[in-house]
Amino acid sequence: MYFRYRVPNDIQPVLNKPDLKYSLKTHSLWTARQYLAPILEYIQGVFHFIRTARDKAP
């Protein structure tokens, strides 16, 4: 199974990607759902870091 997440418009120029795709390396829907929360938390943290760094840049 794969995880796919759309990159917000304000961050797309920084990452040069319209979406993020990761292999969850499982065929089990139950296992994939277990992986989802930590992945989403990590991605949201990265987006927050990018926005904060961009806002502090001169």
Side-chain angles (χ1 to χ4, degrees), residues 8-45:
N9 290 336
D10 64 322
I11 297 180
Q12 285 181 11
V14 176
L15 297 180
N16 295 320
K17 293 181 178 184
D19 58 1
L20 301 173
K21 293 181 264 187
Y22 298 104
S23 172
L24 298 176
K25 297 181 174 55
T26 184
H27 293 289
S28 166
L29 181 58
W30 187 85
T31 303
R33 287 182 178 163
Q34 301 301 311
Y35 293 156
L36 187 60
I39 291 171
L40 284 173
E41 185 176 345
Y42 175 77
I43 289 173
Q44 291 298 322

Side-chain angles (χ1 to χ4, degrees), residues 38-52:
I39 291 171
L40 284 173
E41 185 176 345
Y42 175 77
I43 289 173
Q44 291 298 322
V46 170
F47 290 169
H48 177 72
F49 176 78
I50 290 171
R51 287 181 175 124
T52 304

